[in-house]
Amino acid sequence: MFLINCPYCGERDQAEFSCGGEAHIARPKNPPELSDDQWAEYLFLRKNEKGVHYERWNHEYGCRQWFNLARNTATDEILTVYKMGEAPPKLKANIPATPSGEPSIGSGNLSTSKKDRF
Amino acid sequence: MFNKNKYSFLSIAKNALSHHENWQKTWKSPEPKKNYDAIIVGGGGHGLTTAYYLAKNHGINNIAVIEKGWIGGGNTGRNTTIIRSNYLWDQSAALYEHALKLWEGMSQELNYNVMFSQRGVLNVAHNLHDVRELKRRWHANRLNDIDCEWLDTKKVKEFCPIINTSPNIRYPVLGATLQRRAGTARHDAVAWGYARGADEMGVDIIQNCEVTGINVKNGNVTGIETTKGTINSNKIGIAAAGHTSVIANMAGIKLPLESKPLQALVSEPVKPVIDTVVMSNTIHAYVSQSDKGELVIGAGTDGYTSYTQRGGFNIVEDTLMAIVELFPIFSRMKMLRHWGGIVDICPDASPIISKTHINGLYFNCGWGTGGFKATPGSGWVFAHTIANDQAHELNAPFTINRFSSGELVDEHGAAAVAH
């Protein structure tokens, strides 16, 4: 659970929002020419990134506006908020880097930003 | 055949003489060799059963199981331990029923008590639509030779006396299906038991070893890079649950998976109060009681991709509201522990047990929120797929190709719980 900074309403509880999944998946311009594999790619295949994930959110129980988030799925840290139609910003996320790629306690249970560390 | 490592009454008596300080190690944990006939990535239930059945059914013993954490520390130790096979579609029913049959003989076969308890699973209906859907599934199960019966409200109350059958609650109990052969098992004992069984047949179980790369040459897999060095093999099976996409990415493969947190919690221990498993799709709650006396409660998935093994409090709150309405007797119980696991969910909520376009690279993933019940069956068919480079008839419908062909096995909702 985290706070999301809605570009229209400001910071609100994540329970007010619903996630619309991976962002920037464009509907194919030439549907009749697509092969079955290309349809599968568009409909089903997802990056499912561990790291920076660009995704769509809807402020469902608020202003009901859609917008984009870049979130580090390894820590749930929100990196930036940007509006629909805008190009995804180029970002690098801090992936927890112990020998097994995880923080020492649990998995992804710590933030990688210095200010949140204890 | 006499086996000095067999657990028995005699071995308990013998070890009592040395204050139980000299029990043998359950598995060896060796350093990895340079070459193996097969490598399984992921030392959870599915990976260990795969190694076990590769050795037992297919005579391939030179295997490494690579685990980045420790055995039983992933989703195997995080689920709510429910086992059942009452799925709607023929393909799923056949797969899960095969698994259930293996559960029934597991403790004897492994000489390891997995505490499999066939206490029955109730799937409760709360509205007319539920009643129709659950009755449809009941008939489908009977046609597939899977035990299932329909209980009306009165019989539900008799079977599980603490359930609230008042007609005045928001989602009243209108009936339920009951699978009597379904139940629960001690989840980490399953991992330990199979790890021990595989180890005895020569499988190397390597913990604290993370895969960092997959080596592919001319379309053939040649080995893996790990934090303990390069390990070569021309057969590699991936059973990495929530992190499957991360591994697939190393081989340049994109899969139809989304990894999401799934939460569960247990209460303080109390005396036996519920002797079955109650599941509700509509209000999304499931509850059973462990042998220690804790209520084991499963919540739903959080609605976003995350690898953090924790989820939102609102999800827990929703589940507990449903539990308390269905079981007012639990309203003052304190919850003791709460955790999340990362589940990899397919668009059709069915697993992928499949070859890939890279020779020798196999995936067993997409089990989503319901992989525990399939543990032995999953390993059985995945071992067959790896050994023969060809799907077993039970997992033939569960290949990656179904997302191109459109032959989805749509278990969203049909599986008796919403995923």
Side-chain angles (χ1 to χ4, degrees):
Chain A
M1 194 174 218
F2 34 81
L3 293 172
I4 295 179
N5 195 3
C6 170
Y8 306 96
C9 310
E11 209 161 66
R12 298 292 179 90
D13 189 333
Q14 171 238 317
E16 290 184 17
F17 299 81
S18 59
C19 184
E22 191 181 320
H24 310 296
I25 300 174
R27 187 177 167 78
K29 287 207 172 77
N30 48 349
E33 289 150 40
L34 255 50
S35 68
D36 290 350
D37 286 339
Q38 285 168 316
W39 271 118
E41 164 95 22
Y42 166 67
L43 288 171
F44 300 126
L45 302 195
R46 295 293 176 262
K47 285 183 189 148
N48 198 22
E49 198 76 54
K50 184 175 186 178
V52 185
H53 192 248
Y54 300 95
E55 58 196 12
R56 301 170 304 168
W57 283 80
N58 180 224
H59 195 181
E60 198 177 1
Y61 302 106
C63 64
R64 305 189 67 187
Q65 297 272 2
W66 284 92
F67 57 91
N68 291 314
L69 268 193
R71 185 170 52 90
N72 181 355
T73 56
T75 60
D76 280 347
E77 210 170 333
I78 294 173
L79 304 167
T80 189
V81 181
Y82 59 104
K83 291 190 177 169
M84 294 308 272
E86 286 177 20
K90 283 209 175 74
L91 293 167
K92 246 189 113 197
N94 284 327
I95 301 297
T98 57
S100 72
E102 305 289 348
S104 48
I105 320 168
S107 170
N109 290 335
L110 291 179
S111 169
T112 51
S113 77
K114 274 196 184 129
K115 68 178 167 62
D116 294 337
R117 263 187 212 157
F118 55 85
Chain B
M1 194 178 72
F2 178 74
N3 177 349
K4 69 179 168 55
N5 290 331
K6 192 169 164 30
Y7 294 139
S8 64
F9 175 74
L10 278 177
S11 70
I12 292 174
K14 194 185 102 194
N15 279 283
L17 297 175
S18 54
H19 307 281
H20 295 292
E21 284 168 359
N22 294 321
W23 282 98
Q24 70 272 17
K25 280 196 172 171
T26 312
W27 57 82
K28 292 183 285 287
S29 293
E31 283 304 303
K33 293 188 276 190
K34 279 276 154 266
N35 295 290
Y36 286 96
D37 292 341
I39 296 173
I40 307 299
V41 177
H46 291 242
L48 292 165
T49 50
T50 305
Y52 178 86
Y53 289 118
L54 268 173
K56 183 164 180 255
N57 296 354
H58 304 283
I60 302 175
N61 300 67
N62 186 24
I63 308 173
V65 175
I66 308 291
E67 166 58 44
K68 80 170 173 180
W70 66 97
I71 297 300
N75 289 355
T76 306
R78 291 167 187 270
N79 58 74
T80 48
T81 80
I82 299 168
I83 295 156
R84 59 190 178 89
S85 65
N86 54 352
Y87 278 64
L88 177 68
W89 302 115
D90 295 351
Q91 300 95 317
S92 326
L95 184 60
Y96 290 104
E97 178 61 16
H98 177 64
L100 182 52
K101 285 185 176 137
L102 291 170
W103 278 109
E104 286 172 331
M106 190 185 291
S107 292
Q108 286 73 19
E109 181 180 334
L110 296 176
N111 174 233
Y112 203 97
N113 186 4
V114 298
M115 293 157 78
F116 180 49
S117 156
Q118 292 177 298
R119 56 184 69 184
V121 168
L122 283 175
N123 289 106
V124 183
H126 299 281
N127 54 42
L128 189 58
H129 177 75
D130 279 3
V131 172
R132 285 181 183 146
E133 280 300 317
L134 287 178
K135 281 190 173 172
R136 178 189 178 203
R137 195 166 49 75
W138 161 41
H139 293 305
N141 288 164
R142 297 295 300 269
L143 288 171
N144 277 322
D145 210 13
I146 291 168
D147 74 304
C148 184
E149 51 199 278
W150 172 258
L151 306 184
D152 59 20
T153 309
K154 191 166 157 272
K155 283 189 186 150
V156 172
K157 185 74 177 170
E158 280 166 20
F159 190 75
C160 179
I162 60 168
I163 200 166
N164 181 7
T165 49
S166 159
N168 298 324
I169 60 176
R170 175 64 185 85
Y171 292 102
V173 175
L174 299 184
T177 59
L178 169 63
Q179 185 180 21
R180 289 186 193 269
R181 286 166 61 237
T184 60
R186 171 78 196 273
H187 49 192
D188 28 27
V190 177
W192 299 334
Y194 273 103
R196 173 170 170 264
D199 180 84
E200 247 168 35
M201 291 186 281
V203 173
D204 284 355
I205 292 168
I206 296 151
Q207 302 177 85
N208 296 314
C209 178
E210 188 181 4
V211 174
T212 54
I214 293 180
N215 300 328
V216 180
K217 209 173 173 186
N218 304 326
N220 299 303
V221 77
T222 58
I224 53 172
E225 298 296 329
T226 74
T227 48
K228 292 188 178 181
T230 308
I231 310 175
N232 299 315
S233 177
N234 53 18
K235 279 180 185 291
I236 294 172
I238 312 292
H243 276 71
T244 303
S245 294
V246 177
I247 306 264
N249 201 18
M250 295 171 190
I253 293 177
K254 205 171 165 189
L255 292 168
L257 296 175
E258 287 192 298
S259 296
K260 293 177 175 175
L262 176 66
Q263 300 176 79
L265 54 160
V266 296
S267 72
E268 58 190 331
V270 290
K271 289 193 174 174
V273 63
I274 177 166
D275 63 354
T276 184
V277 182
V278 177
M279 309 179 66
S280 166
N281 177 14
T282 300
I283 55 176
H284 211 292
Y286 27 113
V287 61
S288 61
Q289 192 172 17
S290 74
D291 290 1
K292 277 189 286 186
E294 301 159 330
L295 296 179
V296 183
I297 294 169
T301 47
D302 285 73
Y304 51 85
T305 303
S306 180
Y307 289 85
T308 57
Q309 294 190 329
R310 65 182 170 215
F313 185 68
N314 54 324
I315 303 283
V316 173
E317 216 171 16
D318 284 350
T319 293
L320 288 178
M321 281 194 298
I323 297 272
V324 168
E325 186 176 66
L326 219 43
F327 300 100
I329 191 176
F330 296 154
S331 64
R332 273 180 272 174
M333 281 184 79
K334 295 179 183 76
M335 292 301 139
L336 206 63
R337 285 177 287 124
H338 154 247
W339 64 92
I342 301 304
V343 296
D344 46 330
I345 301 177
C346 266
D348 59 353
S350 285
I352 297 169
I353 313 157
S354 181
K355 294 163 62 168
T356 60
H357 68 266
I358 299 172
N359 286 328
L361 184 63
Y362 308 88
F363 278 93
N364 182 356
C365 58
W367 288 95
T369 60
F372 176 70
K373 67 177 86 67
T375 302
S378 158
W380 183 286
V381 297
F382 196 39
H384 185 279
T385 307
I386 293 173
N388 300 308
D389 193 38
Q390 195 182 352
H392 187 277
E393 59 174 354
L394 288 172
N395 67 316
F398 297 101
T399 61
I400 294 178
N401 297 337
R402 74 177 189 268
F403 296 96
S404 299
S405 70
E407 285 176 288
L408 304 182
V409 186
D410 188 6
E411 286 292 355
H412 269 295
V417 290
H419 293 279

